[in-house]
């Protein structure tokens, strides 16, 4: 995710602040630059990494140069490239085994319902990509924290996840005999609890980032794309403009939607309608095809407001000449002239250049979660999920990525590292100078991170018990 | 659309108010009861009706007994039944030819861009169903008004609709040479102007209803489902729980979505989060599987808040015991214990029984508009759109209606009134005492209104020029 020039100019430097962005290189390094591997990953080349228990991130996030390597973990392969937009890598990744410990019910009288017991009773896998802006601080914190938040959320509802449908009361008590019927009528399933846990974990992590960055005097934000494999289902939670797709022999299926000022126009405009003070009289919430100027005054021009999917004409008044709340088209669209995404973590300090207008009220940390039932899929060995930051999708379409996957995997069946090699190959496809037939000569000037997750192993009992 | 007991008890009677609802009949009349035909319809049995020019409805809506008949218009056939829920028919319908007159640009200096000229330059067709609650007043007003609002909106942007893409300025002036490019980059098409006109017309009509009901001391609201055929496209605008579907030989396609407290849960909960004063400390915005009671206090129960698609558990506090903002399941779900829909027209006076809590801030008059490109469809003679109020859809699924259409039309090819007969037959299917195989013995106790619109004639040049 790239923040606009407007925003980069705004960000304060100075002690404790992020380093200023390096001049944008006309072309990123041709060979992938390693990234910093999050500390919770303890995997070896031969097996999944095991995260340690839930813990808070260090009080001060450690800034790290862009070093790292492809993750040598057999349940997902990552590759990250630093486009030299900044000295420190703004893309961060994390993956590992998710071990959820049993929660037992304590005595009722002191209302301590949950007592953690040491043994695991559910295991899953976790992959996450964070695309930072305004420095890598938020992305590093998210890579170090979000899995812990998620595990905590899942452990808090653990007993609810093993009953079908989930019980009305977590304590196991039944206040009303028809409670199971009420739950069933609402259609509440186990997967709704995992979705709820992901939604809450994103919010908890956002709060951790706010606290930690405030304490260390740092700034910044990041997008977050997370995949979790648990009990035969794959959950994909997205807040930002990264993307995950499912690639099978005859099918390409998007597993996430992008959240940008354009895709969330109505939500953002409506917030400005409800709280006009958020715009401090500096912006107009209305959308026009371009920014209006004095010559437009009094004319009827195309516009739309928060409640409109269609367009209409309005007579231009002076207040319509203000800078638009959402301005620009496609990749150039910016929220308050500043930010290219409308969901993500962090950015609590972010303000519009030279004003006291905060971006955060318009930014949501809530992800959208989609669920893939792996047990229903009749998976083949070469069915994969490709997760990547926007650097990849700026240059390659879903179909192009699927073609690359389908042409690469069958020819490399004997290679034990073929999924890792595929991730590398996808990244190299965004760097081709001469323009391969696939990329049509387009190149990515952004950081690019890719996870390739082979689904077959996930459906073969490795995704929880 | 049926309002709950809670609401019916609340509604004030007295002089000027709606008549109290008649006791609910265990079964509606077996034969269709005619309804009042809106005054703007001037069609004859042999041709389309011609609406007169835009005009305001009478200052006082005339209450009408449930009299009427199937519309004898060859571009759409309606049938309405009164379930005897009330003495006056709460379902109302309207259809007719939509004549849009040319707008010419006047002199610039006085900024009078638009001068209406008498000749038509666009014609379309219009069908609308309004399902009233709290009396028929709002539905009658809507049937008499909405088409005029829409025509006014379309005439105001008439010149914009004949250019492709629409011009940035309605005056025809070009302030900036790249204006057409800006409009094209935004992807603004002629159909977006019609969508915008429908959205604005619904809002204008809602305001007319507010004004008229206030002036006459009446109350009530209605859902609104509108179809407009214009320039080779069919626009379906919906605010409420009526439904339109496209039925073809091998295809059934929903053309609208229902707006109920359940389908709009997140929007409604979020409004209560932003403006908690709207609940006046009487309701909780949180959703639980059932209404909580004292025994639940201190326990962890399933819940969800406005930002959640998933479910989680929360420890029950005293404030959670309040009546839920949205309560009940499926057809029983009620907003503030009062209303079964979340979008529609009117209801400005509607309050929760014995309180000062208004429903309107939670109700939207904005429709969702879907567009069907008739020219792309290769229409067959028996392709139809079925529009109906919830009384039909409570008893018949989309597939069941499609089966009835497909079994009825081919056997009645010679009957010039076969579409009208089909509408009648669909309504009779909801009244079967013994339960036909199709309805599985279910019966509708609600008013039922059905339009059957044969699309073939729409694509044969009758939908505008």
């Amino acid at each position: 995710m790239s923040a606009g020039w407007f925003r980069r100019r705004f960000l304060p430097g100075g002690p404790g602040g992020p380093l200023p962005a390096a001049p944008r290189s006309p072309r990123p390094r041709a060979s992938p630059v390693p990234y910093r591997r999050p500390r919770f990953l303890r995997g070896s080349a031969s097996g999944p990494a095991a995260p340690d228990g839930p813990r808070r991130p260090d009080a001060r996030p450690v800034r790290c140069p862009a070093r790292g390597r492809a993750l040598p973990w057999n349940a997902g392969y990552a590759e990250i490239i630093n486009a030299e937009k900044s000295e420190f890598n703004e893309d961060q990744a994390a993956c590992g085994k998710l071990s959820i410990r049993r929660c037992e019910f304590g005595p009722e009288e002191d209302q301590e319902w949950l007592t953690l017991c040491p043994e695991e009773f559910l295991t899953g896998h976790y992959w996450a990509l964070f695309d930072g802006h305004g420095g890598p601080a938020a992305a590093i914190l998210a890579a170090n924290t979000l899995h812990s938040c998620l595990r905590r959320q899942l452990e808090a509802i653990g007993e609810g996840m093993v009953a079908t449908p989930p019980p009305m009361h977590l304590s196991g008590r039944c206040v009303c005999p028809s409670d199971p019927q009420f739950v069933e009528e609402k259609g509440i399933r186990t997967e709704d609890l995992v979705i709820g846990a992901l939604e809450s974990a994103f919010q908890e992590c956002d709060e951790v980032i706010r606290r930690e960055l405030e304490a260390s005097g740092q700034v910044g934000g990041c997008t977050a794309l997370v995949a979790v494999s648990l009990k035969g289902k794959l959950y994909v939670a997205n807040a930002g403009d990264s993307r995950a797709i499912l690639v099978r022999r005859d099918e390409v299926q998007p597993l996430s939607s992008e959240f940008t000022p354009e895709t969330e126009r109505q939500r953002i405009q409506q917030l400005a309608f409800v709280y006009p003070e958020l715009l401090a009289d500096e912006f107009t919430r209305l959308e026009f095809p371009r920014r209006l100027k004095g010559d437009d005054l009094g004319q009827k021009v195309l516009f739309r407001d928060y409640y409109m999917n269609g367009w209409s004409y309005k007579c231009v008044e002076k207040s319509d000449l203000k800078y638009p709340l959402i301005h620009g088209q496609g990749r150039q669209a910016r929220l308050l002239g500043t930010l290219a995404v409308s969901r993500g973590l962090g950015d609590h300090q972010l303000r519009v250049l030279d004003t006291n207008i905060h971006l955060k009220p318009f930014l949501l940390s809530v992800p959208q979660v989609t669920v893939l039932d792996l047990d229903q899929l009749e998976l083949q060995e070469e069915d994969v999920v490709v997760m990547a930051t926007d650097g990849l999708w700026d240059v390659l379409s879903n179909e192009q990525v699927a073609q690359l996957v389908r042409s690469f995997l069958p020819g490399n069946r004997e290679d034990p590292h073929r999924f890792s090699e595929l991730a590398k190959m996808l990244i190299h496809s965004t760097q081709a100078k001469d323009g391969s037939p696939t990329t049509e000569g387009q190149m990515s000037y952004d950081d690019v991170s890719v996870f390739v997750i082979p689904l077959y192993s996930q459906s073969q009992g490795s995704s929880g018990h």
Side-chain angles (χ1 to χ4, degrees), chain A residues 138-329:
Chain A
I140 293 172
L141 270 169
N144 284 331
T145 308
L146 184 53
H147 62 283
S148 305
C149 300
L150 178 60
R151 194 171 45 203
R152 209 159 29 238
Q153 293 289 342
L154 288 170
E155 281 174 352
I157 57 160
E159 290 297 331
M161 285 203 300
V162 290
T164 304
M168 168 87 180
H169 297 85
L170 203 55
S171 60
R173 284 213 307 189
C174 193
V175 169
C176 165
S178 38
D179 275 351
Q181 197 182 327
F182 282 113
V183 173
E184 207 154 334
E185 277 175 4
K186 285 268 180 195
I188 306 171
R189 303 147 304 172
T190 311
E191 68 188 63
D192 293 313
L193 296 187
V194 182
I195 295 169
L198 278 160
E199 288 167 337
S200 302
F202 271 60
Q203 292 204 291
E204 190 187 329
C205 181
D206 191 47
E207 179 55 22
V208 169
I209 291 172
R210 184 194 63 74
R211 224 166 36 227
E212 298 290 335
L213 292 190
E214 243 175 55
S216 63
Q218 295 183 100
V219 295
C222 66
T223 69
L225 175 63
V226 169
V228 171
S229 157
L230 192 68
K231 293 185 80 186
K233 293 201 166 71
L234 187 81
Y235 299 83
V236 177
N238 188 40
D241 62 355
S242 296
R243 188 188 301 169
I245 62 170
L246 166 68
V247 180
R248 309 184 69 195
R249 193 179 298 167
D250 309 311
E251 186 191 4
V252 188
Q253 185 185 326
L255 299 178
S256 64
S257 310
E258 279 92 272
F259 294 99
T260 68
E262 278 187 316
T263 63
E264 296 211 276
R265 172 187 64 84
Q266 285 186 283
R267 175 181 70 75
I268 292 165
Q269 280 183 312
Q270 186 170 25
L271 190 62
F273 167 75
V274 173
Y275 292 121
E277 62 273 20
L278 291 176
L279 302 182
D281 245 5
E282 300 257 1
F283 291 84
T284 167
R285 75 162 189 274
L286 299 182
E287 185 185 12
F288 303 99
R290 61 161 165 78
R291 185 172 178 184
L292 301 184
K293 27 191 178 180
D295 284 354
D296 296 305
L297 266 175
Q299 294 212 47
K300 282 194 178 259
V301 304
L302 283 167
F303 88 105
R304 57 180 174 177
D305 203 350
Y306 71 93
Y307 58 85
M308 298 165 74
N309 270 304
W311 287 80
S312 193
Y313 287 90
K314 85 175 290 277
C315 190
V316 178
E317 299 158 49
K318 213 172 161 196
S319 63
D320 299 324
L321 306 188
K322 290 176 190 165
Y323 200 84
L325 172 57
I326 298 167
H327 188 53
Q329 273 307 116

Side-chain angles (χ1 to χ4, degrees), chain A residues 274-394:
Chain A
V274 173
Y275 292 121
E277 62 273 20
L278 291 176
L279 302 182
D281 245 5
E282 300 257 1
F283 291 84
T284 167
R285 75 162 189 274
L286 299 182
E287 185 185 12
F288 303 99
R290 61 161 165 78
R291 185 172 178 184
L292 301 184
K293 27 191 178 180
D295 284 354
D296 296 305
L297 266 175
Q299 294 212 47
K300 282 194 178 259
V301 304
L302 283 167
F303 88 105
R304 57 180 174 177
D305 203 350
Y306 71 93
Y307 58 85
M308 298 165 74
N309 270 304
W311 287 80
S312 193
Y313 287 90
K314 85 175 290 277
C315 190
V316 178
E317 299 158 49
K318 213 172 161 196
S319 63
D320 299 324
L321 306 188
K322 290 176 190 165
Y323 200 84
L325 172 57
I326 298 167
H327 188 53
Q329 273 307 116
R331 304 295 308 164
Q332 264 59 53
R334 291 288 181 279
L335 173 59
L336 290 163
T338 303
L339 204 55
V341 287
S342 56
R343 297 206 190 184
L345 307 173
D347 285 323
H348 298 83
Q349 323 287 322
L350 184 59
R351 284 176 299 177
V352 177
L353 182 65
D354 294 336
T355 74
N356 201 29
I357 300 173
H358 279 81
L359 272 282
K360 191 62 182 180
F362 295 100
L363 293 178
L364 279 192
S365 59
V366 185
Q368 190 186 55
V369 185
T370 53
V371 186
L372 195 63
D373 192 337
L374 300 178
D375 295 340
Q376 300 295 317
L377 278 185
E378 294 184 20
L379 288 167
Q380 305 296 311
E381 265 192 60
E382 282 158 11
D383 293 345
V384 295
V385 166
V386 178
M387 290 168 64
T389 51
D390 63 336
L392 183 81
W393 307 110
D394 285 350

